[in-house]
PDB file of all heavy atoms in Angstrom:
ATOM      1  N   SER A1323      -3.307 -21.042  -2.913  1.00 97.00           N
ATOM      2  CA  SER A1323      -3.215 -21.097  -4.448  1.00 97.00           C
ATOM      3  C   SER A1323      -4.181 -20.241  -5.150  1.00 97.00           C
ATOM      4  O   SER A1323      -4.130 -20.070  -6.352  1.00 97.00           O
ATOM      5  CB  SER A1323      -3.293 -22.569  -4.930  1.00 97.00           C
ATOM      6  OG  SER A1323      -4.538 -23.165  -4.567  1.00 97.00           O
ATOM      7  N   ALA A1324      -5.242 -19.833  -4.486  1.00 96.00           N
ATOM      8  CA  ALA A1324      -6.270 -18.925  -5.094  1.00 96.00           C
ATOM      9  C   ALA A1324      -5.779 -17.494  -5.374  1.00 96.00           C
ATOM     10  O   ALA A1324      -4.944 -17.007  -4.676  1.00 96.00           O
ATOM     11  CB  ALA A1324      -7.531 -18.849  -4.187  1.00 96.00           C
ATOM     12  N   GLN A1325      -6.426 -16.972  -6.317  1.00 95.00           N
ATOM     13  CA  GLN A1325      -6.159 -15.447  -6.607  1.00 95.00           C
ATOM     14  C   GLN A1325      -6.606 -14.660  -5.355  1.00 95.00           C
ATOM     15  O   GLN A1325      -7.569 -15.115  -4.744  1.00 95.00           O
ATOM     16  CB  GLN A1325      -6.949 -15.028  -7.874  1.00 95.00           C
ATOM     17  CG  GLN A1325      -6.356 -15.657  -9.131  1.00 95.00           C
ATOM     18  CD  GLN A1325      -4.993 -15.128  -9.405  1.00 95.00           C
ATOM     19  OE1 GLN A1325      -4.659 -13.960  -9.253  1.00 95.00           O
ATOM     20  NE2 GLN A1325      -4.102 -16.089  -9.787  1.00 95.00           N
ATOM     21  N   PRO A1326      -5.999 -13.502  -5.076  1.00 93.00           N
ATOM     22  CA  PRO A1326      -6.438 -12.727  -3.936  1.00 93.00           C
ATOM     23  C   PRO A1326      -7.893 -12.403  -4.128  1.00 93.00           C
ATOM     24  O   PRO A1326      -8.445 -12.093  -5.191  1.00 93.00           O
ATOM     25  CB  PRO A1326      -5.543 -11.539  -3.960  1.00 93.00           C
ATOM     26  CG  PRO A1326      -4.329 -11.941  -4.730  1.00 93.00           C
ATOM     27  CD  PRO A1326      -4.785 -12.975  -5.714  1.00 93.00           C
ATOM     28  N   PHE A1327      -8.614 -12.434  -3.017  1.00 93.00           N
ATOM     29  CA  PHE A1327      -9.985 -12.054  -2.843  1.00 93.00           C
ATOM     30  C   PHE A1327     -10.952 -13.009  -3.573  1.00 93.00           C
ATOM     31  O   PHE A1327     -11.987 -12.678  -3.966  1.00 93.00           O
ATOM     32  CB  PHE A1327     -10.189 -10.670  -3.224  1.00 93.00           C
ATOM     33  CG  PHE A1327      -9.353  -9.680  -2.440  1.00 93.00           C
ATOM     34  CD1 PHE A1327      -8.234  -9.144  -3.025  1.00 93.00           C
ATOM     35  CD2 PHE A1327      -9.654  -9.490  -1.199  1.00 93.00           C
ATOM     36  CE1 PHE A1327      -7.339  -8.354  -2.211  1.00 93.00           C
ATOM     37  CE2 PHE A1327      -8.849  -8.563  -0.266  1.00 93.00           C
ATOM     38  CZ  PHE A1327      -7.643  -8.038  -0.935  1.00 93.00           C
ATOM     39  N   THR A1328     -10.512 -14.284  -3.805  1.00 96.00           N
ATOM     40  CA  THR A1328     -11.347 -15.293  -4.421  1.00 96.00           C
ATOM     41  C   THR A1328     -12.469 -15.591  -3.463  1.00 96.00           C
ATOM     42  O   THR A1328     -13.593 -15.815  -3.796  1.00 96.00           O
ATOM     43  CB  THR A1328     -10.528 -16.489  -4.779  1.00 96.00           C
ATOM     44  OG1 THR A1328      -9.638 -16.230  -5.848  1.00 96.00           O
ATOM     45  CG2 THR A1328     -11.438 -17.675  -5.224  1.00 96.00           C
ATOM     46  N   TYR A1329     -12.013 -15.673  -2.181  1.00 96.00           N
ATOM     47  CA  TYR A1329     -13.022 -16.099  -1.161  1.00 96.00           C
ATOM     48  C   TYR A1329     -13.413 -14.878  -0.312  1.00 96.00           C
ATOM     49  O   TYR A1329     -12.616 -13.932  -0.099  1.00 96.00           O
ATOM     50  CB  TYR A1329     -12.353 -17.193  -0.176  1.00 96.00           C
ATOM     51  CG  TYR A1329     -11.880 -18.371  -0.907  1.00 96.00           C
ATOM     52  CD1 TYR A1329     -10.595 -18.718  -1.215  1.00 96.00           C
ATOM     53  CD2 TYR A1329     -12.991 -19.310  -1.266  1.00 96.00           C
ATOM     54  CE1 TYR A1329     -10.264 -19.869  -1.870  1.00 96.00           C
ATOM     55  CE2 TYR A1329     -12.637 -20.509  -1.882  1.00 96.00           C
ATOM     56  CZ  TYR A1329     -11.295 -20.772  -2.278  1.00 96.00           C
ATOM     57  OH  TYR A1329     -10.860 -21.907  -2.893  1.00 96.00           O
ATOM     58  N   ASN A1330     -14.768 -14.904   0.097  1.00 94.00           N
ATOM     59  CA  ASN A1330     -15.271 -13.815   0.893  1.00 94.00           C
ATOM     60  C   ASN A1330     -15.157 -14.057   2.425  1.00 94.00           C
ATOM     61  O   ASN A1330     -15.106 -13.124   3.149  1.00 94.00           O
ATOM     62  CB  ASN A1330     -16.657 -13.564   0.574  1.00 94.00           C
ATOM     63  CG  ASN A1330     -16.926 -13.082  -0.817  1.00 94.00           C
ATOM     64  OD1 ASN A1330     -16.194 -12.151  -1.328  1.00 94.00           O
ATOM     65  ND2 ASN A1330     -17.884 -13.503  -1.552  1.00 94.00           N
ATOM     66  N   ALA A1331     -15.069 -15.289   2.715  1.00 95.00           N
ATOM     67  CA  ALA A1331     -14.948 -15.783   4.181  1.00 95.00           C
ATOM     68  C   ALA A1331     -14.649 -17.253   4.200  1.00 95.00           C
ATOM     69  O   ALA A1331     -14.752 -17.901   3.109  1.00 95.00           O
ATOM     70  CB  ALA A1331     -16.310 -15.611   4.865  1.00 95.00           C
ATOM     71  N   ILE A1332     -14.177 -17.699   5.380  1.00 97.00           N
ATOM     72  CA  ILE A1332     -13.819 -19.075   5.488  1.00 97.00           C
ATOM     73  C   ILE A1332     -14.653 -19.509   6.731  1.00 97.00           C
ATOM     74  O   ILE A1332     -14.498 -18.882   7.829  1.00 97.00           O
ATOM     75  CB  ILE A1332     -12.343 -19.318   5.721  1.00 97.00           C
ATOM     76  CG1 ILE A1332     -11.601 -18.873   4.556  1.00 97.00           C
ATOM     77  CG2 ILE A1332     -12.090 -20.832   6.142  1.00 97.00           C
ATOM     78  CD1 ILE A1332     -10.027 -19.003   4.742  1.00 97.00           C
ATOM     79  N   LEU A1333     -15.550 -20.574   6.607  1.00 96.00           N
ATOM     80  CA  LEU A1333     -16.152 -21.194   7.659  1.00 96.00           C
ATOM     81  C   LEU A1333     -15.289 -22.449   8.088  1.00 96.00           C
ATOM     82  O   LEU A1333     -15.158 -23.358   7.316  1.00 96.00           O
ATOM     83  CB  LEU A1333     -17.582 -21.645   7.225  1.00 96.00           C
ATOM     84  CG  LEU A1333     -18.492 -20.483   6.694  1.00 96.00           C
ATOM     85  CD1 LEU A1333     -19.834 -21.078   6.246  1.00 96.00           C
ATOM     86  CD2 LEU A1333     -18.587 -19.379   7.684  1.00 96.00           C
ATOM     87  N   MET A1334     -14.689 -22.396   9.294  1.00 96.00           N
ATOM     88  CA  MET A1334     -13.691 -23.312   9.666  1.00 96.00           C
ATOM     89  C   MET A1334     -14.224 -24.301  10.713  1.00 96.00           C
ATOM     90  O   MET A1334     -14.473 -23.766  11.840  1.00 96.00           O
ATOM     91  CB  MET A1334     -12.481 -22.634  10.073  1.00 96.00           C
ATOM     92  CG  MET A1334     -11.322 -23.545  10.388  1.00 96.00           C
ATOM     93  SD  MET A1334     -10.413 -24.066   8.900  1.00 96.00           S
ATOM     94  CE  MET A1334      -9.570 -22.554   8.398  1.00 96.00           C
ATOM     95  N   ASP A1335     -14.359 -25.574  10.519  1.00 94.00           N
ATOM     96  CA  ASP A1335     -14.586 -26.496  11.555  1.00 94.00           C
ATOM     97  C   ASP A1335     -13.317 -26.652  12.366  1.00 94.00           C
ATOM     98  O   ASP A1335     -12.236 -26.584  11.826  1.00 94.00           O
ATOM     99  CB  ASP A1335     -14.926 -27.810  10.826  1.00 94.00           C
ATOM    100  CG  ASP A1335     -15.537 -28.795  11.847  1.00 94.00           C
ATOM    101  OD1 ASP A1335     -15.609 -28.501  13.116  1.00 94.00           O
ATOM    102  OD2 ASP A1335     -15.902 -29.916  11.443  1.00 94.00           O
ATOM    103  N   ILE A1336     -13.390 -26.812  13.599  1.00 92.00           N
ATOM    104  CA  ILE A1336     -12.271 -26.923  14.507  1.00 92.00           C
ATOM    105  C   ILE A1336     -11.624 -28.332  14.399  1.00 92.00           C
ATOM    106  O   ILE A1336     -10.476 -28.503  14.340  1.00 92.00           O
ATOM    107  CB  ILE A1336     -12.578 -26.564  16.008  1.00 92.00           C
ATOM    108  CG1 ILE A1336     -13.092 -25.069  15.988  1.00 92.00           C
ATOM    109  CG2 ILE A1336     -11.470 -26.795  16.939  1.00 92.00           C
ATOM    110  CD1 ILE A1336     -12.087 -24.051  15.690  1.00 92.00           C
ATOM    111  N   ARG A1337     -12.563 -29.306  14.508  1.00 91.00           N
ATOM    112  CA  ARG A1337     -12.122 -30.712  14.492  1.00 91.00           C
ATOM    113  C   ARG A1337     -11.982 -31.272  13.119  1.00 91.00           C
ATOM    114  O   ARG A1337     -13.214 -31.570  12.484  1.00 91.00           O
ATOM    115  CB  ARG A1337     -12.893 -31.586  15.417  1.00 91.00           C
ATOM    116  CG  ARG A1337     -12.722 -31.214  16.841  1.00 91.00           C
ATOM    117  CD  ARG A1337     -13.506 -32.183  17.650  1.00 91.00           C
ATOM    118  NE  ARG A1337     -13.417 -31.705  19.024  1.00 91.00           N
ATOM    119  CZ  ARG A1337     -13.639 -32.515  20.075  1.00 91.00           C
ATOM    120  NH1 ARG A1337     -13.977 -33.681  19.869  1.00 91.00           N
ATOM    121  NH2 ARG A1337     -13.543 -32.039  21.296  1.00 91.00           N
ATOM    122  N   MET A1338     -10.914 -31.409  12.470  1.00 90.00           N
ATOM    123  CA  MET A1338     -10.745 -31.985  11.151  1.00 90.00           C
ATOM    124  C   MET A1338      -9.502 -32.861  11.196  1.00 90.00           C
ATOM    125  O   MET A1338      -8.620 -32.706  11.975  1.00 90.00           O
ATOM    126  CB  MET A1338     -10.518 -30.927  10.058  1.00 90.00           C
ATOM    127  CG  MET A1338     -11.707 -29.988   9.894  1.00 90.00           C
ATOM    128  SD  MET A1338     -11.503 -28.832   8.535  1.00 90.00           S
ATOM    129  CE  MET A1338     -10.321 -27.699   9.241  1.00 90.00           C
ATOM    130  N   PRO A1339      -9.476 -33.910  10.275  1.00 89.00           N
ATOM    131  CA  PRO A1339      -8.305 -34.781  10.139  1.00 89.00           C
ATOM    132  C   PRO A1339      -7.092 -34.012   9.560  1.00 89.00           C
ATOM    133  O   PRO A1339      -7.193 -32.974   8.993  1.00 89.00           O
ATOM    134  CB  PRO A1339      -8.774 -35.849   9.244  1.00 89.00           C
ATOM    135  CG  PRO A1339      -9.886 -35.291   8.396  1.00 89.00           C
ATOM    136  CD  PRO A1339     -10.483 -34.241   9.265  1.00 89.00           C
ATOM    137  N   LEU A1340      -6.030 -34.642   9.828  1.00 92.00           N
ATOM    138  CA  LEU A1340      -4.692 -34.072   9.315  1.00 92.00           C
ATOM    139  C   LEU A1340      -4.196 -32.784   9.863  1.00 92.00           C
ATOM    140  O   LEU A1340      -3.191 -32.661  10.497  1.00 92.00           O
ATOM    141  CB  LEU A1340      -4.667 -33.998   7.774  1.00 92.00           C
ATOM    142  CG  LEU A1340      -4.932 -35.359   7.112  1.00 92.00           C
ATOM    143  CD1 LEU A1340      -4.718 -35.132   5.561  1.00 92.00           C
ATOM    144  CD2 LEU A1340      -3.893 -36.364   7.507  1.00 92.00           C
ATOM    145  N   MET A1341      -5.066 -31.730   9.801  1.00 96.00           N
ATOM    146  CA  MET A1341      -4.782 -30.413  10.337  1.00 96.00           C
ATOM    147  C   MET A1341      -6.023 -29.845  10.888  1.00 96.00           C
ATOM    148  O   MET A1341      -7.033 -29.751  10.144  1.00 96.00           O
ATOM    149  CB  MET A1341      -4.215 -29.444   9.283  1.00 96.00           C
ATOM    150  CG  MET A1341      -3.835 -28.028   9.875  1.00 96.00           C
ATOM    151  SD  MET A1341      -3.354 -26.844   8.546  1.00 96.00           S
ATOM    152  CE  MET A1341      -1.836 -27.588   8.127  1.00 96.00           C
ATOM    153  N   ASP A1342      -6.117 -29.597  12.166  1.00 96.00           N
ATOM    154  CA  ASP A1342      -7.294 -28.995  12.766  1.00 96.00           C
ATOM    155  C   ASP A1342      -7.542 -27.580  12.328  1.00 96.00           C
ATOM    156  O   ASP A1342      -6.700 -26.932  11.730  1.00 96.00           O
ATOM    157  CB  ASP A1342      -7.308 -29.132  14.247  1.00 96.00           C
ATOM    158  CG  ASP A1342      -6.280 -28.286  14.900  1.00 96.00           C
ATOM    159  OD1 ASP A1342      -6.092 -27.139  14.630  1.00 96.00           O
ATOM    160  OD2 ASP A1342      -5.594 -28.892  15.850  1.00 96.00           O
ATOM    161  N   GLY A1343      -8.743 -27.073  12.575  1.00 96.00           N
ATOM    162  CA  GLY A1343      -9.070 -25.738  12.171  1.00 96.00           C
ATOM    163  C   GLY A1343      -8.315 -24.667  12.800  1.00 96.00           C
ATOM    164  O   GLY A1343      -8.063 -23.583  12.226  1.00 96.00           O
ATOM    165  N   LEU A1344      -7.940 -24.827  14.042  1.00 97.00           N
ATOM    166  CA  LEU A1344      -6.996 -23.770  14.793  1.00 97.00           C
ATOM    167  C   LEU A1344      -5.759 -23.562  14.035  1.00 97.00           C
ATOM    168  O   LEU A1344      -5.341 -22.534  13.721  1.00 97.00           O
ATOM    169  CB  LEU A1344      -6.803 -24.146  16.222  1.00 97.00           C
ATOM    170  CG  LEU A1344      -8.091 -24.249  17.044  1.00 97.00           C
ATOM    171  CD1 LEU A1344      -7.778 -24.806  18.472  1.00 97.00           C
ATOM    172  CD2 LEU A1344      -8.791 -22.867  17.184  1.00 97.00           C
ATOM    173  N   THR A1345      -5.086 -24.750  13.698  1.00 97.00           N
ATOM    174  CA  THR A1345      -3.835 -24.755  13.014  1.00 97.00           C
ATOM    175  C   THR A1345      -3.998 -24.138  11.627  1.00 97.00           C
ATOM    176  O   THR A1345      -3.165 -23.339  11.125  1.00 97.00           O
ATOM    177  CB  THR A1345      -3.092 -26.171  13.020  1.00 97.00           C
ATOM    178  OG1 THR A1345      -3.070 -26.702  14.276  1.00 97.00           O
ATOM    179  CG2 THR A1345      -1.810 -26.114  12.339  1.00 97.00           C
ATOM    180  N   ALA A1346      -5.064 -24.541  10.959  1.00 98.00           N
ATOM    181  CA  ALA A1346      -5.264 -24.027   9.584  1.00 98.00           C
ATOM    182  C   ALA A1346      -5.497 -22.560   9.567  1.00 98.00           C
ATOM    183  O   ALA A1346      -4.954 -21.817   8.802  1.00 98.00           O
ATOM    184  CB  ALA A1346      -6.522 -24.700   8.937  1.00 98.00           C
ATOM    185  N   ALA A1347      -6.236 -21.990  10.506  1.00 98.00           N
ATOM    186  CA  ALA A1347      -6.535 -20.627  10.563  1.00 98.00           C
ATOM    187  C   ALA A1347      -5.214 -19.868  10.875  1.00 98.00           C
ATOM    188  O   ALA A1347      -4.867 -18.802  10.237  1.00 98.00           O
ATOM    189  CB  ALA A1347      -7.498 -20.284  11.655  1.00 98.00           C
ATOM    190  N   ALA A1348      -4.471 -20.395  11.780  1.00 98.00           N
ATOM    191  CA  ALA A1348      -3.089 -19.657  12.086  1.00 98.00           C
ATOM    192  C   ALA A1348      -2.184 -19.696  10.882  1.00 98.00           C
ATOM    193  O   ALA A1348      -1.544 -18.695  10.568  1.00 98.00           O
ATOM    194  CB  ALA A1348      -2.468 -20.407  13.293  1.00 98.00           C
ATOM    195  N   ASN A1349      -2.225 -20.836  10.121  1.00 98.00           N
ATOM    196  CA  ASN A1349      -1.380 -20.928   8.974  1.00 98.00           C
ATOM    197  C   ASN A1349      -1.871 -19.934   7.827  1.00 98.00           C
ATOM    198  O   ASN A1349      -1.033 -19.300   7.214  1.00 98.00           O
ATOM    199  CB  ASN A1349      -1.455 -22.416   8.372  1.00 98.00           C
ATOM    200  CG  ASN A1349      -0.544 -23.327   9.222  1.00 98.00           C
ATOM    201  OD1 ASN A1349       0.342 -22.866   9.992  1.00 98.00           O
ATOM    202  ND2 ASN A1349      -0.732 -24.495   9.031  1.00 98.00           N
ATOM    203  N   ILE A1350      -3.132 -19.776   7.731  1.00 98.00           N
ATOM    204  CA  ILE A1350      -3.661 -18.880   6.673  1.00 98.00           C
ATOM    205  C   ILE A1350      -3.298 -17.466   7.145  1.00 98.00           C
ATOM    206  O   ILE A1350      -2.802 -16.656   6.277  1.00 98.00           O
ATOM    207  CB  ILE A1350      -5.255 -18.959   6.595  1.00 98.00           C
ATOM    208  CG1 ILE A1350      -5.545 -20.287   5.939  1.00 98.00           C
ATOM    209  CG2 ILE A1350      -5.790 -17.788   5.881  1.00 98.00           C
ATOM    210  CD1 ILE A1350      -6.988 -20.659   5.901  1.00 98.00           C
ATOM    211  N   ARG A1351      -3.396 -17.063   8.364  1.00 98.00           N
ATOM    212  CA  ARG A1351      -2.995 -15.750   8.796  1.00 98.00           C
ATOM    213  C   ARG A1351      -1.533 -15.462   8.605  1.00 98.00           C
ATOM    214  O   ARG A1351      -1.202 -14.264   8.443  1.00 98.00           O
ATOM    215  CB  ARG A1351      -3.344 -15.546  10.312  1.00 98.00           C
ATOM    216  CG  ARG A1351      -4.825 -15.528  10.564  1.00 98.00           C
ATOM    217  CD  ARG A1351      -5.576 -14.382   9.911  1.00 98.00           C
ATOM    218  NE  ARG A1351      -6.911 -14.292  10.365  1.00 98.00           N
ATOM    219  CZ  ARG A1351      -7.937 -13.926   9.505  1.00 98.00           C
ATOM    220  NH1 ARG A1351      -7.660 -13.636   8.313  1.00 98.00           N
ATOM    221  NH2 ARG A1351      -9.117 -13.863   9.973  1.00 98.00           N
ATOM    222  N   HIS A1352      -0.697 -16.529   8.513  1.00 97.00           N
ATOM    223  CA  HIS A1352       0.714 -16.257   8.307  1.00 97.00           C
ATOM    224  C   HIS A1352       1.181 -16.332   6.798  1.00 97.00           C
ATOM    225  O   HIS A1352       2.417 -16.119   6.535  1.00 97.00           O
ATOM    226  CB  HIS A1352       1.535 -17.294   9.111  1.00 97.00           C
ATOM    227  CG  HIS A1352       1.496 -16.988  10.569  1.00 97.00           C
ATOM    228  ND1 HIS A1352       0.634 -17.598  11.468  1.00 97.00           N
ATOM    229  CD2 HIS A1352       2.144 -15.994  11.399  1.00 97.00           C
ATOM    230  CE1 HIS A1352       0.842 -17.104  12.670  1.00 97.00           C
ATOM    231  NE2 HIS A1352       1.682 -16.134  12.628  1.00 97.00           N
ATOM    232  N   LEU A1353       0.187 -16.587   5.923  1.00 97.00           N
ATOM    233  CA  LEU A1353       0.527 -16.555   4.551  1.00 97.00           C
ATOM    234  C   LEU A1353       0.902 -15.171   4.031  1.00 97.00           C
ATOM    235  O   LEU A1353       0.435 -14.135   4.641  1.00 97.00           O
ATOM    236  CB  LEU A1353      -0.632 -17.147   3.690  1.00 97.00           C
ATOM    237  CG  LEU A1353      -0.846 -18.698   3.968  1.00 97.00           C
ATOM    238  CD1 LEU A1353      -2.203 -19.146   3.192  1.00 97.00           C
ATOM    239  CD2 LEU A1353       0.316 -19.542   3.466  1.00 97.00           C
ATOM    240  N   SER A1354       1.564 -15.100   2.877  1.00 95.00           N
ATOM    241  CA  SER A1354       1.768 -13.761   2.325  1.00 95.00           C
ATOM    242  C   SER A1354       0.735 -13.275   1.372  1.00 95.00           C
ATOM    243  O   SER A1354       0.837 -12.194   0.773  1.00 95.00           O
ATOM    244  CB  SER A1354       3.207 -13.810   1.620  1.00 95.00           C
ATOM    245  OG  SER A1354       3.168 -14.733   0.599  1.00 95.00           O
ATOM    246  N   ASN A1355      -0.282 -13.977   1.163  1.00 95.00           N
ATOM    247  CA  ASN A1355      -1.379 -13.658   0.318  1.00 95.00           C
ATOM    248  C   ASN A1355      -1.959 -12.275   0.739  1.00 95.00           C
ATOM    249  O   ASN A1355      -2.054 -11.984   1.930  1.00 95.00           O
ATOM    250  CB  ASN A1355      -2.551 -14.708   0.405  1.00 95.00           C
ATOM    251  CG  ASN A1355      -2.047 -16.120  -0.006  1.00 95.00           C
ATOM    252  OD1 ASN A1355      -1.070 -16.551   0.466  1.00 95.00           O
ATOM    253  ND2 ASN A1355      -2.940 -16.765  -0.791  1.00 95.00           N
ATOM    254  N   GLN A1356      -2.328 -11.536  -0.208  1.00 95.00           N
ATOM    255  CA  GLN A1356      -2.814 -10.197  -0.055  1.00 95.00           C
ATOM    256  C   GLN A1356      -3.913 -10.131   0.960  1.00 95.00           C
ATOM    257  O   GLN A1356      -4.098  -9.110   1.706  1.00 95.00           O
ATOM    258  CB  GLN A1356      -3.218  -9.491  -1.343  1.00 95.00           C
ATOM    259  CG  GLN A1356      -3.576  -8.018  -1.272  1.00 95.00           C
ATOM    260  CD  GLN A1356      -3.950  -7.498  -2.731  1.00 95.00           C
ATOM    261  OE1 GLN A1356      -3.882  -8.223  -3.626  1.00 95.00           O
ATOM    262  NE2 GLN A1356      -4.354  -6.316  -2.717  1.00 95.00           N
ATOM    263  N   ASP A1357      -4.831 -11.108   0.879  1.00 95.00           N
ATOM    264  CA  ASP A1357      -6.028 -11.072   1.814  1.00 95.00           C
ATOM    265  C   ASP A1357      -5.984 -12.007   3.036  1.00 95.00           C
ATOM    266  O   ASP A1357      -6.889 -12.233   3.799  1.00 95.00           O
ATOM    267  CB  ASP A1357      -7.288 -11.488   0.944  1.00 95.00           C
ATOM    268  CG  ASP A1357      -7.080 -12.721   0.166  1.00 95.00           C
ATOM    269  OD1 ASP A1357      -5.960 -13.246   0.039  1.00 95.00           O
ATOM    270  OD2 ASP A1357      -8.139 -13.275  -0.278  1.00 95.00           O
ATOM    271  N   ALA A1358      -4.774 -12.603   3.263  1.00 97.00           N
ATOM    272  CA  ALA A1358      -4.645 -13.595   4.368  1.00 97.00           C
ATOM    273  C   ALA A1358      -4.910 -12.944   5.684  1.00 97.00           C
ATOM    274  O   ALA A1358      -5.408 -13.678   6.601  1.00 97.00           O
ATOM    275  CB  ALA A1358      -3.191 -14.246   4.304  1.00 97.00           C
ATOM    276  N   SER A1359      -4.622 -11.701   5.857  1.00 95.00           N
ATOM    277  CA  SER A1359      -4.794 -11.104   7.258  1.00 95.00           C
ATOM    278  C   SER A1359      -6.152 -10.435   7.379  1.00 95.00           C
ATOM    279  O   SER A1359      -6.560 -10.165   8.528  1.00 95.00           O
ATOM    280  CB  SER A1359      -3.629 -10.034   7.443  1.00 95.00           C
ATOM    281  OG  SER A1359      -3.981  -8.915   6.550  1.00 95.00           O
ATOM    282  N   THR A1360      -6.898 -10.411   6.292  1.00 94.00           N
ATOM    283  CA  THR A1360      -8.186  -9.705   6.455  1.00 94.00           C
ATOM    284  C   THR A1360      -9.449 -10.603   6.152  1.00 94.00           C
ATOM    285  O   THR A1360     -10.524 -10.248   6.492  1.00 94.00           O
ATOM    286  CB  THR A1360      -8.285  -8.528   5.443  1.00 94.00           C
ATOM    287  OG1 THR A1360      -8.083  -8.998   4.104  1.00 94.00           O
ATOM    288  CG2 THR A1360      -7.263  -7.498   5.808  1.00 94.00           C
ATOM    289  N   ILE A1361      -9.223 -11.774   5.481  1.00 95.00           N
ATOM    290  CA  ILE A1361     -10.395 -12.610   5.247  1.00 95.00           C
ATOM    291  C   ILE A1361     -11.029 -13.070   6.511  1.00 95.00           C
ATOM    292  O   ILE A1361     -10.346 -13.490   7.429  1.00 95.00           O
ATOM    293  CB  ILE A1361     -10.087 -13.821   4.361  1.00 95.00           C
ATOM    294  CG1 ILE A1361     -11.270 -14.520   3.977  1.00 95.00           C
ATOM    295  CG2 ILE A1361      -9.074 -14.779   5.071  1.00 95.00           C
ATOM    296  CD1 ILE A1361     -11.189 -15.523   2.821  1.00 95.00           C
ATOM    297  N   PRO A1362     -12.371 -12.865   6.664  1.00 95.00           N
ATOM    298  CA  PRO A1362     -13.033 -13.358   7.833  1.00 95.00           C
ATOM    299  C   PRO A1362     -12.930 -14.870   8.015  1.00 95.00           C
ATOM    300  O   PRO A1362     -13.348 -15.617   7.093  1.00 95.00           O
ATOM    301  CB  PRO A1362     -14.506 -12.916   7.737  1.00 95.00           C
ATOM    302  CG  PRO A1362     -14.424 -11.817   6.764  1.00 95.00           C
ATOM    303  CD  PRO A1362     -13.282 -12.183   5.755  1.00 95.00           C
ATOM    304  N   ILE A1363     -12.504 -15.441   9.105  1.00 97.00           N
ATOM    305  CA  ILE A1363     -12.425 -16.845   9.387  1.00 97.00           C
ATOM    306  C   ILE A1363     -13.343 -17.009  10.557  1.00 97.00           C
ATOM    307  O   ILE A1363     -13.125 -16.524  11.693  1.00 97.00           O
ATOM    308  CB  ILE A1363     -11.003 -17.270   9.663  1.00 97.00           C
ATOM    309  CG1 ILE A1363     -10.117 -17.028   8.504  1.00 97.00           C
ATOM    310  CG2 ILE A1363     -11.080 -18.788   9.938  1.00 97.00           C
ATOM    311  CD1 ILE A1363      -8.666 -17.407   8.759  1.00 97.00           C
ATOM    312  N   ILE A1364     -14.304 -17.861  10.394  1.00 96.00           N
ATOM    313  CA  ILE A1364     -15.314 -18.067  11.444  1.00 96.00           C
ATOM    314  C   ILE A1364     -15.293 -19.532  11.910  1.00 96.00           C
ATOM    315  O   ILE A1364     -15.450 -20.451  11.055  1.00 96.00           O
ATOM    316  CB  ILE A1364     -16.812 -17.716  10.857  1.00 96.00           C
ATOM    317  CG1 ILE A1364     -16.759 -16.238  10.452  1.00 96.00           C
ATOM    318  CG2 ILE A1364     -17.872 -17.952  11.913  1.00 96.00           C
ATOM    319  CD1 ILE A1364     -17.942 -15.838   9.691  1.00 96.00           C
ATOM    320  N   ALA A1365     -15.082 -19.723  13.137  1.00 95.00           N
ATOM    321  CA  ALA A1365     -15.055 -21.001  13.778  1.00 95.00           C
ATOM    322  C   ALA A1365     -16.479 -21.634  13.790  1.00 95.00           C
ATOM    323  O   ALA A1365     -17.352 -20.873  14.190  1.00 95.00           O
ATOM    324  CB  ALA A1365     -14.405 -20.991  15.175  1.00 95.00           C
ATOM    325  N   MET A1366     -16.611 -22.815  13.468  1.00 93.00           N
ATOM    326  CA  MET A1366     -17.929 -23.479  13.572  1.00 93.00           C
ATOM    327  C   MET A1366     -17.704 -24.856  14.333  1.00 93.00           C
ATOM    328  O   MET A1366     -16.965 -25.755  13.794  1.00 93.00           O
ATOM    329  CB  MET A1366     -18.529 -23.755  12.213  1.00 93.00           C
ATOM    330  CG  MET A1366     -18.771 -22.505  11.426  1.00 93.00           C
ATOM    331  SD  MET A1366     -19.366 -22.689   9.751  1.00 93.00           S
ATOM    332  CE  MET A1366     -20.765 -23.735   9.979  1.00 93.00           C
ATOM    333  N   THR A1367     -18.101 -24.869  15.551  1.00 89.00           N
ATOM    334  CA  THR A1367     -17.684 -26.024  16.468  1.00 89.00           C
ATOM    335  C   THR A1367     -18.676 -26.252  17.559  1.00 89.00           C
ATOM    336  O   THR A1367     -19.426 -25.384  17.919  1.00 89.00           O
ATOM    337  CB  THR A1367     -16.333 -25.705  17.010  1.00 89.00           C
ATOM    338  OG1 THR A1367     -15.928 -26.809  17.819  1.00 89.00           O
ATOM    339  CG2 THR A1367     -16.249 -24.423  17.750  1.00 89.00           C
ATOM    340  N   ALA A1368     -18.634 -27.463  18.036  1.00 89.00           N
ATOM    341  CA  ALA A1368     -19.458 -27.816  19.251  1.00 89.00           C
ATOM    342  C   ALA A1368     -18.736 -27.445  20.539  1.00 89.00           C
ATOM    343  O   ALA A1368     -19.221 -27.471  21.612  1.00 89.00           O
ATOM    344  CB  ALA A1368     -19.731 -29.321  19.307  1.00 89.00           C
TER     345      ALA A1368
END
């Protein structure tokens, strides 16, 4: 729902409730947003 390039990066925890970080990252990459394929997504996990 954000305007393109609102975010510079996403720090993504892998273990989260409802939707884990792996699924969230994959979903973001499949969005049609202008920056969905280029925004850096960084996994932060144990």
Side-chain angles (χ1 to χ4, degrees):
S1323 64
Q1325 292 295 316
F1327 306 102
T1328 296
Y1329 299 104
N1330 294 316
I1332 297 172
L1333 305 178
M1334 185 78 74
D1335 194 356
I1336 298 298
R1337 293 186 182 200
M1338 294 186 287
L1340 301 182
M1341 180 187 294
D1342 65 47
L1344 298 173
T1345 304
N1349 285 343
I1350 288 169
R1351 292 296 188 216
H1352 288 98
L1353 293 172
S1354 62
N1355 301 42
Q1356 186 178 357
D1357 54 345
S1359 65
T1360 59
I1361 188 165
I1363 303 176
I1364 300 167
M1366 297 176 55
T1367 180

